[in-house]
Amino acid sequence: MDDYLKFLWLLIDRCIFSSLLILCVLMLVVACGGGGGGGGGSSFKAGDLGTPDKLNVTDTSVSSVSLSWKYSGPADTTSGFNVYRDGDRVSSTPLSSMTDFQLWPSTKYCYRVSAYNFWSESNKSNDVCATTLADSSPPSTPHDVVVYMEEDSGAILRWGKSRDNHQIAGYKVYRDLQELMTVVDTSAIDSSASANAEYCYSVSAFDSFANESEASTLVCVDTDWTTDIIDENSEIGGGLDIALDSLTNSHVIYFDKTHGEIKHAKQSNGDWAILSLDYIGNENRYPDTSLSLDSDNLVHSCYFDTKNHELKYVHIKLGTPSIEIIDNGDSIRNECAIAADIFNNLHIIFIKGGYLYYSNNLTGSWISSAVPDTFGASRISLAIDTLGKAHISYSTPGPEIYYLTNQFDNWQINKIDSGAIRTGGLEDTSIDVDSNNKAHIVYGCYGFSSVRYANNIDGNWAPISIVNKVFDGCYPSVAADNLNKIHISYRDGDISTDSSSYLAALKYITNKSGKWVDYTIKTGGIVGFYSEIAVDRNFIANIVSLNNFHLEYDNNR
């Protein structure tokens, strides 16, 4: 009788949640002896199914227990098996094995299994117990840590979630290597941070068993950066560049969109002297510009005249600009880069007919030629080593990043990286060479969604991501200092913790301390566009960028 009542209760329970309500009602009538026949009650018994046996534990982990069992009951009338943990049903399966997940570490759990079909459930199997393993594995290191200052709040931090084999309990925030606070979310506010100081932060994750991850890469906010607006009366288009003379004065080339002019600005004793170089109109396409100084501190620049479709070279002597046309025509793209070697010879690269062209004035006049196998090249950058050899970085659709050099007389091309985040795009690239004539390249954002860095110091290219999850274009620029340490400026397109707002940042990252440290220079809506960096002999970083359509200069002197 007990089995019969148990069967009825199971049938009612399943019918309540069944879409075949009419069929269920008919089955209930039959089960209760209705329908005009017999009236002798049901013949279904739990024993008809057979009882699972030889239940055993096959594996345990920090958060799971795996079970298996034997079953010799009728397969044609058995729907599956119910698994009970500590008396409560936790799973149903058609198989004779299962894994119970999301368990607590170092905890004992006991199991039994029964067979079931639509009408009945068998007796439960033997009881078996297991204890999950202790959790000694730390969480993954928090990633994508950013920090910036808000005047009324202090230092704002955010980061990406860590992963753990069980459960993240919280995060520890360190300031200047000392533990500052513990939080449970992926953001924090250091309200004690004040202006006119540098603060460096890292974040670690910990789980419920006090396992702590490694601390993240240091990110810093430095309020000691000084800022100048170079040309307050002009709206600036794209195409900025910066170079330093032997007295560490900064020189900047840029396009004044308001007046349609290519301009040069020189800093001396804290003031900026501005010189108009050429009128090219304010056509739709912003001209690309590039700047280099020779050993005599003479200024040399190339730029694309969007009005006349001309690639031009200009040099300044005794305060007067002199302009030459390097090439012209509709097949010339709005890109160029220039560099002077230690012999004061000039080298220019540009794009024509889809190919990268190399030009120099070693013979006293400009001689240009296409570099083979460079079709599709774009986002070009040029550096010249102490032997007068060219080192070039560029991107092709894919995106793919290439390094090109004539260091060994013939042109040699190496593909150093391929993007996989957003296919088909182009990457901004920047290159510099150190005192050992080794190349350093920085690139990224569109196809990689990160700032990537690579060098050939040991003869091989081994790209790494030094900043992850950078969005909306980052315009990276690289410079090697006298000790061959690397300095990079870039734009982070959205660092806001509030999804309804937008906050960009001008960033600076360097390994001068022996490890990469990421600094936030300033934040705002339109900051950091077209950033370019130069480092002087005192290891001071000098950065120009577009800030709210004005030309801004920042340094950490």
Side-chain angles (χ1 to χ4, degrees), residues 8 52 77 149 164 175 205 241 266 270 275 288-290 319 371 375-376 379 394 439 443 453 467 483 533 536 553:
L8 286 179
T77 60
M149 291 293 294
D164 188 57
R175 186 177 77 183
D241 204 3
K266 177 184 177 182
L275 175 66
D288 191 26
T289 65
S290 181
V371 180
F375 185 79
R379 313 299 171 89
Y394 65 90
Y443 56 95
Y453 164 76
V467 182
L483 299 179
I533 189 171
D536 66 26
Y553 166 80

Side-chain angles (χ1 to χ4, degrees), residues 429-460:
T429 75
S430 178
I431 192 170
D432 199 11
V433 290
D434 61 28
S435 61
N436 297 317
N437 292 336
K438 298 297 183 179
H440 302 259
I441 299 176
V442 64
Y443 56 95
C445 297
Y446 294 103
F448 300 90
S449 290
S450 63
V451 177
R452 302 271 285 173
Y453 164 76
N455 66 59
N456 65 350
I457 291 176
D458 61 0
N460 297 307

Side-chain angles (χ1 to χ4, degrees), residues 162-176:
S162 293
R163 300 180 305 277
D164 188 57
N165 59 354
H166 181 62
Q167 180 178 321
I168 299 293
Y171 299 90
K172 293 182 180 180
V173 178
Y174 295 86
R175 186 177 77 183
D176 299 330

Side-chain angles (χ1 to χ4, degrees), residues 195-411:
N196 302 318
E198 176 183 317
Y199 301 98
C200 291
Y201 298 87
S202 61
V203 182
S204 67
F206 62 91
D207 61 22
S208 302
F209 294 86
N211 299 307
E212 185 176 356
S213 74
E214 293 184 357
S216 64
T217 301
L218 281 176
V219 294
C220 303
V221 59
D222 186 357
T223 56
D224 283 341
W225 286 80
T226 59
T227 299
D228 287 335
I229 301 299
I230 295 177
D231 192 342
E232 294 183 347
N233 299 318
S234 302
E235 179 180 329
I236 307 304
L240 315 177
D241 204 3
I242 185 171
L244 306 176
D245 62 30
S246 60
L247 301 176
T248 69
N249 295 313
S250 294
H251 296 251
V252 178
I253 189 84
Y254 63 98
F255 173 57
D256 176 351
K257 185 174 182 294
T258 300
H259 303 98
E261 295 176 337
I262 299 293
K263 288 184 173 180
H264 167 261
K266 177 184 177 182
Q267 182 194 47
S268 180
N269 298 321
D271 296 322
W272 291 94
I274 298 174
L275 175 66
S276 177
L277 304 179
D278 191 13
Y279 174 78
I280 62 172
N282 49 8
E283 303 293 329
N284 292 331
R285 295 195 309 172
Y286 294 149
D288 191 26
T289 65
S290 181
L291 176 66
S292 183
L293 271 68
D294 63 25
S295 61
D296 296 323
N297 290 333
L298 295 180
V299 174
H300 305 270
S301 177
C302 69
Y303 58 94
F304 184 71
D305 184 335
T306 57
K307 180 181 179 182
N308 299 304
H309 296 279
E310 295 171 337
L311 177 66
K312 292 182 175 181
Y313 158 74
V314 59
H315 70 275
I316 303 172
K317 190 172 184 179
L318 300 177
T320 302
S322 177
I323 299 173
E324 301 176 32
I325 297 175
I326 304 296
D327 209 333
N328 57 29
D330 293 339
S331 64
I332 298 178
R333 186 180 295 171
N334 180 20
E335 293 188 57
C336 76
I338 189 171
D341 61 31
I342 61 172
F343 311 106
N344 290 343
N345 297 310
L346 299 173
H347 308 255
I348 291 178
I349 58 173
F350 59 99
I351 303 297
K352 179 180 179 180
Y355 284 91
L356 187 149
Y357 272 65
Y358 168 74
S359 184
N360 64 55
N361 66 350
L362 301 181
T363 62
S365 59
W366 293 102
I367 299 176
S368 304
S369 60
V371 180
D373 302 319
T374 59
F375 185 79
S378 185
R379 313 299 171 89
I380 56 179
S381 183
L382 170 67
I384 303 297
D385 64 26
T386 57
L387 300 176
K389 300 299 183 179
H391 300 257
I392 298 167
S393 64
Y394 65 90
S395 169
T396 62
E400 294 177 331
I401 307 301
Y402 287 88
Y403 165 70
L404 171 68
T405 183
N406 63 356
Q407 190 175 19
F408 306 102
D409 294 329
N410 295 323
W411 289 108

Side-chain angles (χ1 to χ4, degrees), residues 75-137:
D76 57 342
T77 60
T78 301
S79 299
F81 304 93
N82 290 324
V83 179
Y84 292 83
R85 183 211 306 143
D86 298 332
D88 298 321
R89 190 175 75 179
V90 293
S91 180
S92 295
T93 175
L95 307 175
S96 57
S97 63
M98 68 87 66
T99 299
D100 190 16
F101 294 102
Q102 297 183 333
L103 303 179
W104 200 257
S106 303
T107 304
K108 181 180 179 181
Y109 297 96
C110 293
Y111 296 88
R112 299 181 76 184
V113 176
S114 67
Y116 73 89
N117 59 23
F118 193 82
W119 302 276
S120 183
E121 184 178 18
S122 74
N123 293 323
K124 293 184 176 68
S125 69
N126 59 296
D127 184 80
V128 67
C129 298
T131 300
T132 49
L133 302 180
D135 185 1
S136 59
S137 300

Side-chain angles (χ1 to χ4, degrees), residues 15 27-28 48 78 135 150 255 304 343 350 393 397 416 478 489:
C15 280
M27 293 176 68
L28 280 171
D48 291 340
T78 301
D135 185 1
E150 285 190 354
F255 173 57
F304 184 71
F343 311 106
F350 59 99
S393 64
I416 63 175
V478 65
S489 66

